[in-house]
Amino acid sequence: MNTTFGENLRTTVFGQSHADAIGCTIEGLPAGESISVDALQAFMARRAPGGRLATQRKEPDTPEILCGMVEGVTCGAPLAAIIRNTNQRSQDYKAIADLPRPSHADLPAEVKYQGHQDVRGGGAFSGRLTAPITLAGGIALQILERRGIRISAHLLSVGTAEDRPMNPMGENPEDLQKRLSRGLPVLTDDAEARMTEAILAARKAGDSIGAVIECMIEGLPCGLGGPLFEGFDGKLAFGLFGIPGVKGVEFGRGFEASRMKGSENNDPWEISPDAPGAKPRTNNAGGIAGGITTAAPVVFRIAMKPTPSIALAQETISISRRENAELGVRGRHDPCIGVRAVPVAEAVAALAVLDSLLSGPAVLPQTLERPSIPTLGKISNE
Amino acid sequence: MNTTFGENLRTTVFGQSHADAIGCTIEGLPAGESISVDALQAFMARRAPGGRLATQRKEPDTPEILCGMVEGVTCGAPLAAIIRNTNQRSQDYKAIADLPRPSHADLPAEVKYQGHQDVRGGGAFSGRLTAPITLAGGIALQILERRGIRISAHLLSVGTAEDRPMNPMGENPEDLQKRLSRGLPVLTDDAEARMTEAILAARKAGDSIGAVIECMIEGLPCGLGGPLFEGFDGKLAFGLFGIPGVKGVEFGRGFEASRMKGSENNDPWEISPDAPGAKPRTNNAGGIAGGITTAAPVVFRIAMKPTPSIALAQETISISRRENAELGVRGRHDPCIGVRAVPVAEAVAALAVLDSLLSGPAVLPQTLERPSIPTLGKISNE
Amino acid sequence: MNTTFGENLRTTVFGQSHADAIGCTIEGLPAGESISVDALQAFMARRAPGGRLATQRKEPDTPEILCGMVEGVTCGAPLAAIIRNTNQRSQDYKAIADLPRPSHADLPAEVKYQGHQDVRGGGAFSGRLTAPITLAGGIALQILERRGIRISAHLLSVGTAEDRPMNPMGENPEDLQKRLSRGLPVLTDDAEARMTEAILAARKAGDSIGAVIECMIEGLPCGLGGPLFEGFDGKLAFGLFGIPGVKGVEFGRGFEASRMKGSENNDPWEISPDAPGAKPRTNNAGGIAGGITTAAPVVFRIAMKPTPSIALAQETISISRRENAELGVRGRHDPCIGVRAVPVAEAVAALAVLDSLLSGPAVLPQTLERPSIPTLGKISNE
Amino acid sequence: MNTTFGENLRTTVFGQSHADAIGCTIEGLPAGESISVDALQAFMARRAPGGRLATQRKEPDTPEILCGMVEGVTCGAPLAAIIRNTNQRSQDYKAIADLPRPSHADLPAEVKYQGHQDVRGGGAFSGRLTAPITLAGGIALQILERRGIRISAHLLSVGTAEDRPMNPMGENPEDLQKRLSRGLPVLTDDAEARMTEAILAARKAGDSIGAVIECMIEGLPCGLGGPLFEGFDGKLAFGLFGIPGVKGVEFGRGFEASRMKGSENNDPWEISPDAPGAKPRTNNAGGIAGGITTAAPVVFRIAMKPTPSIALAQETISISRRENAELGVRGRHDPCIGVRAVPVAEAVAALAVLDSLLSGPAVLPQTLERPSIPTLGKISNE
């Protein structure tokens, strides 16, 4: 029932693919933050449809911020923003309302909502709903960036075509930036070529292809999260599984760690000149130990399934006739949903980080002053 | 800050490894449910320490249910239960409080709580806290079982030693039961032999080894969960990352789906005599499409890292001296935390399922009567 | 930080008085509910400005439902609706941003948000934000009404002018309806005359006047709510204090009960032909005992303070000059905010009731069928 | 379903009157706070039974803190504490399980939980559950006190016997302290005499009597709370209605404000040497304007109904026989539950205040340093 992400920064996403509008509210946004709408729109454009590797549905995805800001600065009140749906072709979908698409939510939604769900374009289950997630995350990103927190994702693989993995100890910011100038968000030219080929081949075959997205968060303080259900990894994973098509989430070595020995996987601590005074020498943990951040970069990967909507004929049932039937999905679809999900992963990460930063302090100060960032300094003079 | 799992069934876990007690509260437990304490204790014994493949620390893990039940039946009030800590050897840990263990939360906790955290035995970050999770989940399991919902996990792999994967269309209940009669919770004798060997080799080398746990939930109705942040997968993943040592979670084909085509990965629908009237012919999705259950078994896997506490010498820092140092971890440790985490995964799954079942109905009835379980029936008479 | 009301039905209100729009999202709304926009607009018109007893600011308050419905029927997805702000005169307020209005949030908001808050027309603290609350509550009311739940409020007093109190055992529906045909929502002609006189006198004096609103909820089932912090009264009170200007909430006899004896205040039970088979003979409790509904009407009263914005000169400070100063509030204001708050109280009550109805069942059925409404019937065959 | 109070400081209360134990968990408690168990026990003793003005049931109410602290200092992990129930006489209640007590939750609980509720001593609805609320609040109070926040309540009235009201601009701390040395927590000797007389008269008559409790919170910073459902008043009222027997809550002038004019009720601002630089000259608002604290003392009153359990014969029904019946309540009861509820009101206030203090900052700092307490200072140099 809870369609909201976050505890202290609470993002609620609303809308259906063919409703009048989609959008989001963000509660708990701190006051006094300048938000550049141009920069926000540039970020959102990274997941917008169009281009030969994506669906042909053209939506400008122009966000309209209704409230929560005064002259470009957050005012402490909830921010609400909407994106009008202008380019729907609902007739594409009407014919197939009776034929639930394989590996979509069509049939379980029919059961759950007893036929009242919005069937047009996947309704509330549409990948289009990642636009308001990106909107909210794009605002969070601007707030984080000016505090030295950078979040960058790339396509690690499309099918069997692979990019080089990120360096878990940190990447050169300029190299990370370059991935945005390519046709696909990857770190190497070679990967771009092979992934493009894989995607075009899938499209040509009337089929689709899966992908893995890798994301890194740099500049986090040590100490976000907590034990058990307070873990930063659990919060982030919850948000990431909110992206349609995600089938797996792993941190650091992830599933590979299951085949390693402790002596291989452990990250030794060493003295560091930077806060908090120590850091892990390696980062197999992906920046999280015991649910809390270690000050090393947080590294995670998400598995994106191949787009379930394909042009090839598929088997399904007819709800009205109660018999097996055949389905050819028409409409416009991405051959690889992983491509456009790259900024969405960054957006979810930004929301998780800002929510954690806004959680109350672990140590309450002795006066009503707010505490400064904790370091290891205090411990040395015991 | 929120150390609670669930929305309508809310489980709060408390305690530190060497505190007087650990335990949990469960809010929202329905009234009128008989709970067998014997069956609960038998379930909890599956994760209890002892045995040659686990730590030598012996804790009987006897749960004491303080309230929430009257004569063995839940009464609608919150249930609280505790487990006394009786076998601590705090002196084992005092010496190493200054030397944070690699890949543990010791150092980030020192920073976050500014030296006030409980350092004895890992404090609130200890794997011992999975005992109350298992307690709560064991209660949920009894409530689910009598409604035909079965949850079964096994060790899919330890290092490179592998068990056969579960059949995602469903397993024979008797075969599943057999895994509990082995020394390790696996489906095949062969896997037991090879995994035992791998664990003993790791122990002998003063090292540890990772594992993958696979879990299947059978008997779920269609329609649990919802779009985006209401997804059943996100809820489950959030809970699973609350288990110490989990580094990855995947559903169905998971990361493998990223290398597949849509035509390979899609699950076609077909008419079924059982509710809700249709089912997926294959189950690559792991029982969840678009965030809601499809009535096929929910299948997930979690990656467990190798135990970070190992006997081999490791590098770390001295907090007091602010210099690099060497650490040999003493104390008693599991060479493979994956072994005892198997029932913990089942417990978290049970809590997620019962929480979802207790969420409000998607369709409110026309009178104040509660609705019956929705099926596809209504649609056919349109 | 949590600006949301409800747990299973979650209403988030957004907007500032002079932002582009105000509005709300409603998560958890059941699917399949027809919503009449005409009826909704008629309900919202009851709190709209205009008329000689209210502010002259004219806002049509036309709600635009952006999503969550398909052809007039809820679809299970979150509903979002906005109301455009079209009639702002921001220049009225600019001059007084430096002079915080007494008994408004202006000064504490200046401190809390460090000058970034929206000062135009009270920003997010404006009484205008009761429009989206009324919008959300108006939708809930339609859902409740067709299940026999009626919610009706009236002005019990304005200053010292009093209406007759409602009969806590239930009112004649036609009598309740009559209050809507008067110029003021009261039960008696006499009250209308005296209250009108009091309000016009306050306006003429450049002053304002307080009020008490009484509200009754009829047709509730027995058993909503629970002990301690699960109480239906606590939930309702939380929501009611969200209405700007509310300074007190009481149920049944309320503060009067503090002067009574147990033998006077207690409500004896008696056998009843209606579900659940028994009812209280009197209703001093206002329909709630121990936090749960008794099936008698829920009766509550809220104290509305006099409008803090008055034309008379008042003392305040100049923020920029850091000295005491004088203030004359210009702009358009209600002489009695209690008048327009009557439907807002009904709206909050509707949201609280529907949220409680959607909370999980206290008793889980033995199969996966949802339970029917509990009665006392089961007990008699023990 | 949510039996928890607070968002960032989350207190969950568990137990039934005659269960093995009652208790609470507190999540989000900051680390590094010394807690004196002696002081806690002294605070809890103020609501403990015993004495001629209260029930004769003798429970030492010794709290056992199970975890969350190390050597008397909070460690950042959830705190759990229990109080054993040692003095139950369950046989007192067995006979009357069939005869629901008027104005208790007995009958609605029977319906809601379909006969599975704990009927012994009122079960989870018992006033005994205020012991763990007081325990949790007593811990919060110690944390607040050392930051200059004082919370003090007294009996404002018992029946028609009245104490003098507190001075809303602040009380002399020594005068407040004196109320604790009297037999009843009142400010004047005269009130003590008249209230004692009223209570003893009620007891002698086999009856009971209602009361009003007034409470003041001094030393709060300006800016806690927020608009609409984020209000500090709503949060506090929610918690206060969690105390069994509360039928009304009002802030400042409360219901009296409904009879006042704006010019009488408004609190003018004036320059102040203390943070934040300005304060209200009067405090009719009870320290809260528009949902946020003004830095003036927060003043609230709660109406306590007369104890519903009385020795006089009362009318009720027999559940098993389905006919009207007569009831004489045996057992041991307080003639005035208001007496022992005085420290409970303080406890709830402390939990609400600490929760608000731990909510994220309204203004995020430009670096990762936590902000200092906001004042008006920044505004003057514009």
Side-chain angles (χ1 to χ4, degrees), chain C residues 202-217:
Chain C
R203 157 168 289 171
K204 194 171 172 191
D207 211 334
S208 62
I209 187 86
V212 172
I213 295 167
E214 185 182 47
C215 184
M216 187 157 66
I217 313 172

mmCIF file of all heavy atoms in Angstrom, chain C residues 202-217:
data_model
loop_
_atom_site.group_PDB
_atom_site.id
_atom_site.type_symbol
_atom_site.label_atom_id
_atom_site.label_comp_id
_atom_site.label_asym_id
_atom_site.label_seq_id
_atom_site.Cartn_x
_atom_site.Cartn_y
_atom_site.Cartn_z
ATOM 1 N N ALA C 202 -17.899 41.188 14.365
ATOM 2 C CA ALA C 202 -16.443 41.059 14.411
ATOM 3 C C ALA C 202 -15.818 41.716 13.188
ATOM 4 O O ALA C 202 -14.848 42.476 13.290
ATOM 5 C CB ALA C 202 -16.046 39.576 14.488
ATOM 6 N N ARG C 203 -16.401 41.445 12.012
ATOM 7 C CA ARG C 203 -15.854 42.035 10.787
ATOM 8 C C ARG C 203 -15.911 43.559 10.843
ATOM 9 O O ARG C 203 -14.935 44.242 10.495
ATOM 10 C CB ARG C 203 -16.640 41.527 9.583
ATOM 11 C CG ARG C 203 -16.550 42.459 8.386
ATOM 12 C CD ARG C 203 -17.062 41.851 7.114
ATOM 13 N NE ARG C 203 -16.138 40.819 6.644
ATOM 14 C CZ ARG C 203 -16.394 39.980 5.643
ATOM 15 N NH1 ARG C 203 -17.544 40.060 5.006
ATOM 16 N NH2 ARG C 203 -15.518 39.081 5.270
ATOM 17 N N LYS C 204 -17.046 44.066 11.298
ATOM 18 C CA LYS C 204 -17.208 45.522 11.347
ATOM 19 C C LYS C 204 -16.167 46.155 12.259
ATOM 20 O O LYS C 204 -15.649 47.241 11.993
ATOM 21 C CB LYS C 204 -18.626 45.836 11.842
ATOM 22 C CG LYS C 204 -19.029 47.276 11.625
ATOM 23 C CD LYS C 204 -20.498 47.492 11.910
ATOM 24 C CE LYS C 204 -20.834 48.981 11.887
ATOM 25 N NZ LYS C 204 -22.190 49.206 12.409
ATOM 26 N N ALA C 205 -15.827 45.441 13.341
ATOM 27 C CA ALA C 205 -14.849 45.970 14.300
ATOM 28 C C ALA C 205 -13.418 45.743 13.840
ATOM 29 O O ALA C 205 -12.475 46.042 14.564
ATOM 30 C CB ALA C 205 -15.073 45.307 15.665
ATOM 31 N N GLY C 206 -13.242 45.194 12.634
ATOM 32 C CA GLY C 206 -11.882 44.880 12.172
ATOM 33 C C GLY C 206 -11.278 43.741 12.965
ATOM 34 O O GLY C 206 -10.056 43.595 13.054
ATOM 35 N N ASP C 207 -12.152 42.950 13.553
ATOM 36 C CA ASP C 207 -11.691 41.898 14.457
ATOM 37 C C ASP C 207 -12.152 40.532 13.927
ATOM 38 O O ASP C 207 -12.605 40.411 12.786
ATOM 39 C CB ASP C 207 -12.275 42.153 15.859
ATOM 40 C CG ASP C 207 -11.358 41.675 16.981
ATOM 41 O OD1 ASP C 207 -10.556 40.747 16.743
ATOM 42 O OD2 ASP C 207 -11.478 42.234 18.088
ATOM 43 N N SER C 208 -12.001 39.492 14.710
ATOM 44 C CA SER C 208 -12.426 38.152 14.292
ATOM 45 C C SER C 208 -12.979 37.426 15.511
ATOM 46 O O SER C 208 -12.902 37.928 16.627
ATOM 47 C CB SER C 208 -11.248 37.380 13.700
ATOM 48 O OG SER C 208 -10.240 37.209 14.682
ATOM 49 N N ILE C 209 -13.499 36.203 15.303
ATOM 50 C CA ILE C 209 -14.183 35.490 16.387
ATOM 51 C C ILE C 209 -13.958 33.977 16.255
ATOM 52 O O ILE C 209 -13.878 33.455 15.144
ATOM 53 C CB ILE C 209 -15.701 35.852 16.356
ATOM 54 C CG1 ILE C 209 -16.443 35.282 17.559
ATOM 55 C CG2 ILE C 209 -16.367 35.382 15.074
ATOM 56 C CD1 ILE C 209 -16.389 36.155 18.767
ATOM 57 N N GLY C 210 -13.828 33.319 17.410
ATOM 58 C CA GLY C 210 -13.592 31.867 17.421
ATOM 59 C C GLY C 210 -14.870 31.071 17.272
ATOM 60 O O GLY C 210 -15.972 31.622 17.210
ATOM 61 N N ALA C 211 -14.745 29.746 17.221
ATOM 62 C CA ALA C 211 -15.903 28.884 17.012
ATOM 63 C C ALA C 211 -15.597 27.471 17.492
ATOM 64 O O ALA C 211 -14.441 27.097 17.682
ATOM 65 C CB ALA C 211 -16.288 28.849 15.534
ATOM 66 N N VAL C 212 -16.680 26.699 17.706
ATOM 67 C CA VAL C 212 -16.548 25.266 17.960
ATOM 68 C C VAL C 212 -17.333 24.526 16.887
ATOM 69 O O VAL C 212 -18.464 24.899 16.570
ATOM 70 C CB VAL C 212 -17.071 24.876 19.362
ATOM 71 C CG1 VAL C 212 -17.110 23.354 19.531
ATOM 72 C CG2 VAL C 212 -16.202 25.496 20.453
ATOM 73 N N ILE C 213 -16.707 23.507 16.319
ATOM 74 C CA ILE C 213 -17.367 22.657 15.327
ATOM 75 C C ILE C 213 -17.631 21.299 15.972
ATOM 76 O O ILE C 213 -16.756 20.736 16.625
ATOM 77 C CB ILE C 213 -16.490 22.490 14.070
ATOM 78 C CG1 ILE C 213 -16.318 23.834 13.364
ATOM 79 C CG2 ILE C 213 -17.074 21.447 13.117
ATOM 80 C CD1 ILE C 213 -15.238 23.845 12.305
ATOM 81 N N GLU C 214 -18.855 20.809 15.791
ATOM 82 C CA GLU C 214 -19.192 19.474 16.282
ATOM 83 C C GLU C 214 -19.442 18.575 15.078
ATOM 84 O O GLU C 214 -20.056 19.004 14.103
ATOM 85 C CB GLU C 214 -20.441 19.540 17.158
ATOM 86 C CG GLU C 214 -20.799 18.214 17.807
ATOM 87 C CD GLU C 214 -22.085 18.303 18.640
ATOM 88 O OE1 GLU C 214 -23.088 18.865 18.129
ATOM 89 O OE2 GLU C 214 -22.075 17.822 19.766
ATOM 90 N N CYS C 215 -18.978 17.355 15.157
ATOM 91 C CA CYS C 215 -19.090 16.441 14.014
ATOM 92 C C CYS C 215 -19.519 15.058 14.508
ATOM 93 O O CYS C 215 -19.118 14.624 15.589
ATOM 94 C CB CYS C 215 -17.742 16.354 13.303
ATOM 95 S SG CYS C 215 -17.756 15.338 11.805
ATOM 96 N N MET C 216 -20.346 14.391 13.741
ATOM 97 C CA MET C 216 -20.821 13.059 14.107
ATOM 98 C C MET C 216 -20.623 12.103 12.939
ATOM 99 O O MET C 216 -20.896 12.441 11.789
ATOM 100 C CB MET C 216 -22.290 13.104 14.503
ATOM 101 C CG MET C 216 -22.790 11.773 15.049
ATOM 102 S SD MET C 216 -24.247 11.971 16.113
ATOM 103 C CE MET C 216 -25.411 12.530 14.893
ATOM 104 N N ILE C 217 -20.120 10.909 13.264
ATOM 105 C CA ILE C 217 -19.924 9.852 12.262
ATOM 106 C C ILE C 217 -20.877 8.725 12.603
ATOM 107 O O ILE C 217 -20.780 8.127 13.664
ATOM 108 C CB ILE C 217 -18.470 9.316 12.277
ATOM 109 C CG1 ILE C 217 -17.460 10.461 12.289
ATOM 110 C CG2 ILE C 217 -18.239 8.369 11.110
ATOM 111 C CD1 ILE C 217 -16.008 10.006 12.489
#
